[in-house]
Amino acid sequence: MVSVSKVGIKLFIIVVLVTLLAASMGSSPAKADSNAHSMLLGAFSQDWSNTGLITANDNWVGVPSMIGYLGDYSAATPVDVDPQTLISDYPSVAVDVIANQTSVLINNGGVAEFHLANPTIALQGSGSADAPYIKIFLNTTGVNKVRVSYNVRDIDSNTDNAVQQVALHYRVGSSGDFTNLPAGYIADATTGPSIATLVTPVSVELPVAASNQSAVELRIMTTNAAGGDEWIGIDDISITANYAPTGLSLSAYSVLENQPVGTIIGTLTGIDPNAGDTHTFELVTSCLAGGVENVYFSIVGNTLRTTVVFDREAQMTYTACMRSIDNNGLVSNGAQYQITILDIADETPPSVSIEQASGQPDPTNISPINFTVQFSESVSNFITGDVALSGTAGATIATVTEIAPGDGTTYNVAVSGMTMAGTVIAEIYAGVASDAAGNLNTASPMNKTVTYSTDTSLPSV
């Protein structure tokens, strides 16, 4: 309660009423801007450094998306009411601002604008201003994780010393009760008397219900305190949000034909206005009729991959439609990418044969048994383990070594590990080696068999 008597307040109110009755009927009504700030256009910010926003009493038209109210909700004079409990709409309270003040030594309660060294608007309760507050109007369509931050400043350096409570409310829509946000409550935002240094920061993330709404209202409120109320500034207001990713990028847009299923085409990266967001990706049908060509692709982690072996002669381009999803669940629009299938001039796969090595006896009781593998052209990646062994002798090891002429076409295969007399069969499966164009070999047309004996005794004569 401000430092004036109740009788003085009543006399002041009577004088005001008489003055209003005597004034011309053409006097201007209170003006305000209740247009919701669209969070899609960016963060909401107000630090009151522009002292030209408020130029006349009870006129908020120069302050975007914000209005101050006297908070005259009761005919009585309630004192020390917890503002957290005042969640009603109070539609009949008066729009209020005392403009262009240069000193806090004013007894009126409500909302005031102060042209201090660090300008601000401020709230103070009184016998007529039961619960003064400011209201902020937002449109959160398309965003989530809305965070409200501001500084509550003790700017009152006079001898008043009140317990000045402050609360933060929100509601979705423009009617009905508000919801109190306990994290925004300050039990006493002031120190004193004759001290005005306390700054209490508030930072509260609004509940999920306030996300993606065409109308959200915030209310920062104090109440009439016992004793002499103090002015508390509501300054450095900043309201931010998480924005949906705006798209994604793909590091490459082509892939060679005849590559195996699962070949990586490129790496996906989310494009997001929020630094630090992480992203997942998915194929969608929003930019394709039924997403027909998406079946040729898959997304594994952050890579776009093939699901078929492409043949450029059958079709040269395919279209994939994808979107990114940030770690807060917001999604980008679908992005369409044309993937080009690159031609391979050499599409002939290398053929291969396997024969008993020159000088290798058959049958034999000597290990290893040597075979010669001959490819029709130079190949790579033909290594130990690429030769399939079978037969009745139990051979287990096929060691591959390149031999002359050393051009990647000719290899020796030394087979060992036989445990009993029987046959040793060696063959080359398809796809174990590739030529310079990436073509995989065909299988050897026939396997080769050598008979192995465990008889090592010399004949007697």
Side-chain angles (χ1 to χ4, degrees), residues 233-405:
I234 309 300
D235 201 2
D236 305 314
I237 303 169
S238 174
I239 304 174
T240 59
N242 175 64
Y243 299 93
T246 56
L248 55 88
S249 63
L250 180 63
S251 63
Y253 304 89
S254 62
V255 64
L256 285 169
E257 65 178 333
N258 302 332
Q259 302 307 298
V261 170
T263 295
I264 295 176
I265 299 170
T267 301
L268 298 164
T269 304
I271 302 172
D272 199 308
N274 296 97
D277 275 5
T278 57
H279 301 85
T280 55
F281 307 92
E282 64 181 5
L283 293 160
V284 292
T285 61
S286 58
C287 51
L288 290 170
V292 173
E293 292 189 308
N294 278 349
V295 299
Y296 300 109
F297 307 98
S298 67
I299 293 176
V300 179
N302 65 338
T303 59
L304 181 67
R305 305 188 182 212
T306 64
T307 60
V308 298
V309 177
F310 287 109
D311 179 2
R312 179 180 169 84
E313 283 66 38
Q315 186 170 330
M316 292 187 293
T317 62
Y318 295 80
T319 301
C321 183
M322 297 166 282
R323 69 179 183 183
S324 60
I325 307 166
D326 73 12
N327 50 293
N328 297 304
L330 295 184
V331 301
S332 70
N333 292 326
Q336 184 170 301
Y337 292 91
Q338 182 171 283
I339 308 302
T340 300
I341 311 305
L342 300 178
D343 189 33
I344 296 178
D346 175 12
E347 296 187 53
T348 303
S351 59
V352 62
S353 63
I354 184 168
E355 297 290 342
Q356 179 179 318
S358 175
Q360 172 64 52
D362 181 18
T364 182
N365 59 3
I366 300 173
S367 177
I369 299 173
N370 291 293
F371 296 87
T372 300
V373 173
Q374 184 72 47
F375 287 93
S376 61
E377 58 180 312
S378 177
V379 298
S380 58
N381 302 320
F382 183 59
I383 59 175
T384 296
D386 288 342
V387 179
L389 298 175
S390 59
T392 58
T396 57
I397 301 173
T399 302
V400 174
T401 305
E402 185 177 356
I403 58 176

Side-chain angles (χ1 to χ4, degrees), residues 2-357:
V2 298
S3 301
V4 293
S5 67
K6 293 184 179 179
V7 173
I9 292 172
K10 291 179 179 178
L11 288 174
F12 174 77
I13 294 172
I14 291 171
V15 171
V16 171
L17 291 174
V18 171
T19 302
L20 290 174
L21 289 172
S24 67
M25 296 301 292
S27 61
S28 299
K31 298 179 181 179
D33 179 6
S34 60
N35 295 316
H37 172 81
S38 173
M39 294 302 295
L40 280 177
L41 299 179
F44 177 94
S45 179
Q46 186 57 261
D47 63 5
W48 309 110
S49 57
N50 181 359
T51 56
L53 297 178
I54 297 174
T55 58
N57 289 346
D58 304 336
N59 189 333
W60 288 82
V61 292
V63 184
S65 308
M66 187 186 302
I67 303 174
Y69 293 89
L70 185 63
D72 48 334
Y73 70 90
S74 174
T77 307
V79 176
D80 282 339
V81 176
D82 184 347
Q84 296 182 100
T85 66
L86 300 179
I87 60 173
S88 296
D89 190 2
Y90 307 126
S92 62
V93 298
V95 172
D96 182 56
V97 66
I98 307 169
N100 306 323
Q101 298 302 299
T102 58
S103 169
V104 297
L105 297 176
I106 55 174
N107 289 323
N108 305 59
V111 186
E113 177 210 17
F114 291 97
H115 293 187
L116 307 176
N118 182 5
T120 187
I121 59 101
L123 310 176
Q124 177 176 266
S126 71
S128 57
D130 306 311
Y133 60 87
I134 59 169
K135 187 188 289 185
I136 302 171
F137 303 86
L138 301 175
N139 180 342
T140 65
T141 300
V143 303
N144 63 8
K145 297 186 75 65
V146 180
R147 179 166 290 277
V148 182
S149 302
Y150 51 90
N151 287 325
V152 180
R153 296 170 49 198
D154 181 356
I155 63 170
D156 201 326
S157 58
N158 65 22
T159 57
D160 290 339
N161 184 19
V163 175
Q164 210 71 56
Q165 303 177 77
V166 183
L168 173 63
H169 307 152
Y170 92 99
R171 72 179 174 190
V172 175
S174 57
S175 62
D177 288 349
F178 284 77
T179 298
N180 177 61
L181 295 169
Y185 175 67
I186 303 173
D188 186 4
T190 63
T191 51
S194 304
I195 301 175
T197 57
L198 181 63
V199 177
T200 307
V202 174
S203 184
V204 179
E205 183 177 308
L206 297 184
V208 174
S211 300
N212 197 32
Q213 300 292 332
S214 60
V216 173
E217 294 181 358
L218 305 175
R219 194 166 65 178
I220 304 171
M221 174 187 287
T222 190
T223 50
N224 182 25
D229 288 67
E230 298 181 66
W231 286 107
I232 51 170
I234 309 300
D235 201 2
D236 305 314
I237 303 169
S238 174
I239 304 174
T240 59
N242 175 64
Y243 299 93
T246 56
L248 55 88
S249 63
L250 180 63
S251 63
Y253 304 89
S254 62
V255 64
L256 285 169
E257 65 178 333
N258 302 332
Q259 302 307 298
V261 170
T263 295
I264 295 176
I265 299 170
T267 301
L268 298 164
T269 304
I271 302 172
D272 199 308
N274 296 97
D277 275 5
T278 57
H279 301 85
T280 55
F281 307 92
E282 64 181 5
L283 293 160
V284 292
T285 61
S286 58
C287 51
L288 290 170
V292 173
E293 292 189 308
N294 278 349
V295 299
Y296 300 109
F297 307 98
S298 67
I299 293 176
V300 179
N302 65 338
T303 59
L304 181 67
R305 305 188 182 212
T306 64
T307 60
V308 298
V309 177
F310 287 109
D311 179 2
R312 179 180 169 84
E313 283 66 38
Q315 186 170 330
M316 292 187 293
T317 62
Y318 295 80
T319 301
C321 183
M322 297 166 282
R323 69 179 183 183
S324 60
I325 307 166
D326 73 12
N327 50 293
N328 297 304
L330 295 184
V331 301
S332 70
N333 292 326
Q336 184 170 301
Y337 292 91
Q338 182 171 283
I339 308 302
T340 300
I341 311 305
L342 300 178
D343 189 33
I344 296 178
D346 175 12
E347 296 187 53
T348 303
S351 59
V352 62
S353 63
I354 184 168
E355 297 290 342
Q356 179 179 318

Side-chain angles (χ1 to χ4, degrees), residues 429-454:
Y429 289 157
V432 298
S434 59
D435 65 13
N439 299 306
L440 298 175
N441 68 281
T442 59
S444 54
M446 62 180 66
N447 49 34
K448 190 62 180 176
T449 302
V450 172
T451 301
Y452 179 73
S453 172
T454 58

